[in-house]
């Protein structure tokens, strides 16, 4: 489905410039953006309505691939196997929330984005995870419900404190918990001025700093005092509920949008916020699993938050599934391999080709990615890319990497090649193949 396209004719570009009043034309061109922003090009802006959209926020298709959907089902199954309730909160598409009129004004004649079709695709994506067994509130319906409120900032990627609070109430409803507060009755605790992550791009590119956007902060201590004495106090070393999220739940590394407070107050229970800005889709979950957190004294409820721009891909899910299955696996073979020029290759004897997990233990913690190249008897190749965000370094570094290689259909790989970054740090690694005992 290709609902979003660009026109490259000079006439259309001229019309766009007049119609959408962008902050500057450089935002539309990758070559004129700083390196860290190039992947976001073209960037659409409108000085009249104040909205800014990056290209990754205009993806119209949110459906997981068949492979990713199967892997997501397996990931959810791992939480079920541990008797952990899993709730998934996906912040909905900004462009859909803004509405077709705003999108048309901002994109002008240079692009088309069908809000209705994108909304349908997003809701189907939510249903994919819901049908696999996770609790998944529909935050798109929440964000577009009446009475209208500012769910998103216009010049920042993230939701407002109000958007976060409404999402927390929707989570409580999805979990069949009576909401712990009424947002219309919540006292505010001052105003926060969001400078805007998207305004930062405009400032760096166009030399224009837009006005900060004000959002109310809420006094959740009132909820604690009135409804749940002791809420958020330290009562046990064993977490009852944990939030694993992105910058939406860890903005400015201090949860600026009060997501944990909102969820805790909505559910009436303690919430430990393990979210990490820049940690990516699986970073906090993988780190907690590697630390053994899901095996001993695991939380009863896990809340996995990620935005619509992080639709789960197969490689990331294989990486997460591998570490979740690690504690219930049995070693088939273990070997030390010399890493030469950042790579190591080995053949798989017939008796090891039924292996479902690959475990790599390196002699350094600095590696940020591994590419796993699988070769099959018919010559077909498949690459699984494992990644760790540099932001996760402060939250624990690990020499161990796990990946599920079992859900590959009927064909089994006959050889594996591993490619690593940070070649200068690597000399050798222990590589194990394992079977999974949790079927």
């Amino acid at each position: 489905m290709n609902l979003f396209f660009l026109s490259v004719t000079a006439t259309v570009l001229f019309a766009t410039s007049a119609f959408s009043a962008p902050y500057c034309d450089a935002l539309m061109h990758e070559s004129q953006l700083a390196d860290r922003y190039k992947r976001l090009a073209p960037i659409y802006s409108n000085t009249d309505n104040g909205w800014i959209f990056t290209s990754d926020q205009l993806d119209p298709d949110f459906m997981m691939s068949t492979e990713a959907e199967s892997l997501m089902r397996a990931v959810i199954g791992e939480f079920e196997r541990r008797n952990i309730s899993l709730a998934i909160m996906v912040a909905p598409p900004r462009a859909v929330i803004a509405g077709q009129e705003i999108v048309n004004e901002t994109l002008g004649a240079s692009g088309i984005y069908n809000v209705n079709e994108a909304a349908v695709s997003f809701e189907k994506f939510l249903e994919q995870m819901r049908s696999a067994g996770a609790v998944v509130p529909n935050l798109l319906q929440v964000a577009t419900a009446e009475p209208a409120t500012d769910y998103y900032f216009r010049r920042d990627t993230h939701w407002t404190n109000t958007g976060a609070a409404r999402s927390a109430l929707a989570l409580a409803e999805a979990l069949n918990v009576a909401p712990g507060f009424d947002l219309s009755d919540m006292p505010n605790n001052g105003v926060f001025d969001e400078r805007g992550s998207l305004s930062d791009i405009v400032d760096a590119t166009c030399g224009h700093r837009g006005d900060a956007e004000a959002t109310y902060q809420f006094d959740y201590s009132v909820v604690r005092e009135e409804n749940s004495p002791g809420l958020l106090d330290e009562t046990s070393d064993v977490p009852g509920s944990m939030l694993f999220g992105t910058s939406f739940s860890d903005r400015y590394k201090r949860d600026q949008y009060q997501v944990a407070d909102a969820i805790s107050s909505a559910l009436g229970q303690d919430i430990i916020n393990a979210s990490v800005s820049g940690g990516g889709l699986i970073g906090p979950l993988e780190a907690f699993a590697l630390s053994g957190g899901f095996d001993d004294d695991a939380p009863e409820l896990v809340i996995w938050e990620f935005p619509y721009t992080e639709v789960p891909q197969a490689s990331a899910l294989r990486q997460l599934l591998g570490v979740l299955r690690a504690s219930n696996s049995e070693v088939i073979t273990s070997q030390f391999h010399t890493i030469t020029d950042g790579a190591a290759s080995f053949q798989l004897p017939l008796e090891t080709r039924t292996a479902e997990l690959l475990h790599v233990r390196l002699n350094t913690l600095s590696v940020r990615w591994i590419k796993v190249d699988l070769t099959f008897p018919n010559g077909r190749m498949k690459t699984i890319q494992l990644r760790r965000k540099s932001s996760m370094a402060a939250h624990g570094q690990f020499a161990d990497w796990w990946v599920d290689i079992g859900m590959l259909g009927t064909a089994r790989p006959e050889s594996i090649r591993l490619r690593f970054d940070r070649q200068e740090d690597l000399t050798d690694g222990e590589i194990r193949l394992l079977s999974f005992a949790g079927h």
Side-chain angles (χ1 to χ4, degrees), residues 49-207:
N49 63 34
W51 281 88
I52 303 171
F53 299 107
T54 54
S55 60
D56 63 324
Q57 296 173 0
L58 294 168
D59 190 337
D61 189 357
F62 301 96
M63 296 285 287
M64 289 185 288
S65 67
T66 300
E67 179 186 12
E69 185 175 8
S70 296
L71 290 164
M72 176 62 84
R73 188 176 298 275
V75 166
I76 293 170
E78 283 305 298
F79 287 97
E80 292 176 346
R81 185 170 63 82
R82 291 171 168 82
N83 294 317
I84 299 174
S85 298
L86 176 65
I88 301 178
M89 296 178 64
V90 187
R94 286 181 75 242
V96 175
I97 306 309
Q100 193 67 62
E101 182 177 352
I102 292 294
V103 169
N104 290 346
E105 288 177 1
T106 308
L107 272 60
S110 66
I112 294 175
Y113 184 86
N114 190 309
V115 165
N116 289 335
E117 292 189 29
V120 170
S121 177
F122 181 75
E123 292 194 331
K124 287 181 178 178
F125 163 56
L126 298 184
E127 186 54 37
Q128 283 181 308
M129 296 182 292
R130 197 176 292 123
S131 64
V135 174
V136 186
N138 190 331
L139 301 188
L140 176 58
Q141 291 182 357
V142 171
T144 54
E146 296 293 340
T149 58
D150 288 333
Y151 187 90
Y152 274 119
F153 294 103
R154 298 185 178 199
R155 293 178 291 281
D156 186 90
T157 297
H158 304 90
W159 50 27
T160 64
N161 295 54
T162 299
R166 294 178 65 189
S167 299
L169 292 170
L171 174 64
E173 182 178 355
L175 288 167
N176 295 316
V177 174
F181 64 92
D182 185 331
L183 187 56
S184 63
D185 295 332
M186 279 291 293
N188 68 65
N189 194 21
V191 173
F192 165 64
D193 289 327
E194 172 59 72
R195 56 179 287 173
S197 56
L198 302 178
S199 281
D200 287 344
I201 300 176
V202 172
D203 191 10
T205 307
C206 308

Side-chain angles (χ1 to χ4, degrees), residues 13-339:
L13 287 178
F14 177 81
T16 300
S17 185
F19 184 77
S20 61
Y23 288 100
C24 68
D25 185 63
L27 292 168
M28 298 291 292
H29 305 287
E30 179 181 340
S31 61
Q32 298 183 46
L33 295 172
D35 287 345
R36 59 179 172 165
Y37 301 137
K38 288 183 183 298
R39 65 180 180 83
L40 303 176
I43 299 172
Y44 298 88
S45 62
N46 188 303
T47 55
D48 295 327
N49 63 34
W51 281 88
I52 303 171
F53 299 107
T54 54
S55 60
D56 63 324
Q57 296 173 0
L58 294 168
D59 190 337
D61 189 357
F62 301 96
M63 296 285 287
M64 289 185 288
S65 67
T66 300
E67 179 186 12
E69 185 175 8
S70 296
L71 290 164
M72 176 62 84
R73 188 176 298 275
V75 166
I76 293 170
E78 283 305 298
F79 287 97
E80 292 176 346
R81 185 170 63 82
R82 291 171 168 82
N83 294 317
I84 299 174
S85 298
L86 176 65
I88 301 178
M89 296 178 64
V90 187
R94 286 181 75 242
V96 175
I97 306 309
Q100 193 67 62
E101 182 177 352
I102 292 294
V103 169
N104 290 346
E105 288 177 1
T106 308
L107 272 60
S110 66
I112 294 175
Y113 184 86
N114 190 309
V115 165
N116 289 335
E117 292 189 29
V120 170
S121 177
F122 181 75
E123 292 194 331
K124 287 181 178 178
F125 163 56
L126 298 184
E127 186 54 37
Q128 283 181 308
M129 296 182 292
R130 197 176 292 123
S131 64
V135 174
V136 186
N138 190 331
L139 301 188
L140 176 58
Q141 291 182 357
V142 171
T144 54
E146 296 293 340
T149 58
D150 288 333
Y151 187 90
Y152 274 119
F153 294 103
R154 298 185 178 199
R155 293 178 291 281
D156 186 90
T157 297
H158 304 90
W159 50 27
T160 64
N161 295 54
T162 299
R166 294 178 65 189
S167 299
L169 292 170
L171 174 64
E173 182 178 355
L175 288 167
N176 295 316
V177 174
F181 64 92
D182 185 331
L183 187 56
S184 63
D185 295 332
M186 279 291 293
N188 68 65
N189 194 21
V191 173
F192 165 64
D193 289 327
E194 172 59 72
R195 56 179 287 173
S197 56
L198 302 178
S199 281
D200 287 344
I201 300 176
V202 172
D203 191 10
T205 307
C206 308
H208 174 86
R209 164 56 63 182
D211 294 335
E213 295 180 82
T215 180
Y216 282 118
Q217 294 180 305
F218 300 106
D219 187 358
Y220 287 106
S221 65
V222 173
V223 180
R224 292 199 298 271
E225 293 169 1
E226 293 182 354
N227 299 334
S228 300
L231 191 64
L232 290 177
D233 291 343
E234 295 183 7
T235 57
S236 172
D237 293 332
V238 180
S241 300
M242 293 188 69
L243 169 63
F244 297 88
T246 65
S247 57
F248 278 68
S249 299
D250 187 41
R251 181 67 163 152
Y252 298 121
K253 300 181 180 180
R254 60 176 184 266
D255 192 3
Q256 183 61 61
Y257 309 129
Q258 302 175 284
V259 180
D261 279 351
I263 294 175
S264 179
S265 298
L267 299 182
Q269 59 180 265
D270 295 332
I271 298 291
I272 293 178
N273 191 354
S275 304
V276 179
S277 290
L281 174 73
I282 68 168
L285 282 168
E286 183 194 29
F288 191 71
L290 285 167
S291 71
F294 288 127
D295 300 318
D296 302 318
D297 298 326
E300 296 179 357
L301 171 65
V302 164
I303 302 163
W304 185 8
E305 172 271 303
F306 55 87
Y308 62 100
T309 52
E310 295 272 6
V311 172
Q313 303 298 311
S315 285
L317 293 173
R318 287 189 180 280
Q319 184 174 343
L320 178 58
L321 184 59
V323 72
L324 289 173
R325 288 181 164 178
S327 62
N328 203 26
S329 59
E330 297 175 356
V331 177
I332 297 176
T333 181
S334 178
Q335 303 174 36
F336 281 92
H337 288 267
T338 299
I339 298 171

